[in-house]
Amino acid sequence: MTPDLNLNQLRTFVAAADHMSFVGAADAVHRSQAAVSMQIMKLEETVGQALFARHTRRIELTAAGERLLPYARQMLALEGQALAALRTQEVVGRVVLGAPDDYVASLLPPVLERVTKLFANVEIELVCLQSTLLKPLLQKGQIDLAFVTRADDLEGSFIRREAMVWVGSQRHAVWKKSPLPVALFDKGCVAREHTLAALEKSGRPYGATYSSPSLLGIVAMVDAGLAVAALAECSIPPHLVRLGEAEGLPPVEPLEVVLIRGRNSNSPAVECLAGEIMAALRPLRAAA
């Protein structure tokens, strides 16, 4: 008889893969570490293969785990979509969603449009702030979901990786200047840290003279020919020129986008929005 895959066990497996930790998975699925370990063991018994290699302080996916992960994500996404379709007329509530303005403008509109059509009685409030500034709002229970860039103190369910790409103005070859004028997001932003790390590693002289808390400010500086900038690929306006190693600019480490739920935010409205975000924005092989 073909064994059945248990969706709760798959949910725990995905959480462990996202955090590369049973402790992190326990927090994500609101279970004890012992319960997480037991669910993973049962899933491994079902598939007849080890899914994680256990080390003293960490875990890592085995080849079997890597193969199972994208299918587990797809099955959980389909479960969420099926439940959402059945609850379309029933869900009523309000969700406060926090995200940086570049993600709000580039990634979220199709999701928000779909949620509005499916769940006419769900009210969504958007809070647009830099990822690190959303953390205290999560802790205070002022937002239900945070769609943010992963940082040391911001962990959640992995959604996707976003490449960082250098951009410049079509009218000004600013990248030829030395020192290189660079526009950066404000301090504390992961994109800023990755950009500065790449420049320091390259050894190219630069001047971080321009900064802004918002994508709009960065784009304005670049468009005016005042600087170049490294932006998340999803948020690059079409009128800017993409730059790279040919222009003497170093590769920048990509960003990891995660979805964080407030600990007490488990209403049907929150679950529906979270499910739609994960279903729409996670590539099938997001973490493969």
Side-chain angles (χ1 to χ4, degrees):
M1 179 182 293
T2 303
D4 294 326
L5 291 173
N6 181 290
L7 287 177
N8 284 329
Q9 293 170 7
L10 289 176
R11 189 171 290 107
T12 301
F13 164 67
V14 169
D18 284 344
H19 292 83
M20 282 302 160
S21 161
F22 288 164
V23 175
D27 187 58
V29 300
H30 307 299
R31 292 177 176 269
S32 67
Q33 187 178 348
V36 166
S37 297
M38 181 61 67
Q39 283 200 318
I40 296 298
M41 288 176 61
K42 288 181 177 179
L43 181 59
E44 289 177 326
E45 290 175 3
T46 298
V47 300
Q49 299 180 70
L51 300 173
F52 291 101
R54 280 82 162 169
H55 303 288
T56 305
R57 295 187 178 181
R58 61 185 177 87
I59 59 174
E60 62 181 2
L61 287 166
T62 62
E66 291 279 4
R67 287 194 297 272
L68 177 61
L69 184 58
Y71 296 105
R73 291 193 192 282
Q74 189 178 41
M75 290 173 70
L76 293 174
L78 286 172
E79 178 201 34
Q81 290 173 339
L83 292 174
L86 293 171
R87 291 194 304 231
T88 296
Q89 302 303 320
E90 302 173 10
V91 179
V92 177
R94 180 171 175 271
V95 184
V96 182
L97 170 65
D101 62 347
D102 48 346
Y103 294 162
V104 169
S106 61
L107 296 176
L108 289 176
V111 180
L112 299 179
E113 181 182 5
R114 175 176 168 81
V115 169
T116 301
K117 289 179 178 178
L118 286 177
F119 310 105
N121 295 316
V122 172
E123 177 188 351
I124 300 174
E125 178 183 340
L126 279 174
V127 177
C128 296
L129 286 174
Q130 185 176 304
S131 293
T132 51
L133 297 180
L134 291 168
K135 181 185 176 183
L137 301 186
L138 271 172
Q139 294 173 331
K140 294 175 184 177
Q142 295 177 354
I143 58 176
D144 300 301
L145 293 170
F147 185 73
V148 295
T149 303
R150 174 176 281 166
D152 290 339
D153 56 351
L154 278 175
E155 289 285 343
S157 298
F158 178 81
I159 300 295
R160 62 194 289 143
R161 287 184 179 86
E162 278 297 324
M164 291 283 288
V165 180
W166 288 100
V167 293
S169 169
Q170 294 185 21
R171 296 169 287 119
H172 309 279
V174 183
W175 54 89
K176 295 181 179 179
K177 291 185 178 181
S178 184
L180 178 73
V182 181
L184 299 165
F185 288 99
D186 277 353
K187 291 183 179 179
C189 178
V190 176
R192 177 191 178 100
E193 294 172 0
H194 287 191
T195 302
L196 290 175
L199 289 167
E200 291 291 341
K201 185 177 180 180
S202 73
R204 177 168 179 175
Y206 68 92
T209 345
Y210 303 96
S211 66
S212 171
S214 71
L215 174 68
L216 184 62
I218 296 290
V219 170
M221 294 173 197
V222 173
D223 202 28
L226 300 176
V228 296
L231 302 178
E233 187 169 25
C234 65
S235 62
I236 296 175
H239 67 278
L240 295 182
V241 176
R242 294 176 179 236
L243 310 169
E245 294 185 29
E247 290 77 27
L249 296 168
V252 182
E253 183 182 351
L255 305 175
E256 292 192 350
V257 184
V258 297
L259 183 67
I260 308 174
R261 303 186 191 208
R263 183 168 291 276
N264 297 317
S265 299
N266 54 5
S267 69
V270 171
E271 292 297 328
C272 287
L273 179 55
E276 289 298 327
I277 289 173
M278 289 188 282
L281 298 177
R282 268 180 169 167
L284 176 58
R285 297 190 62 80

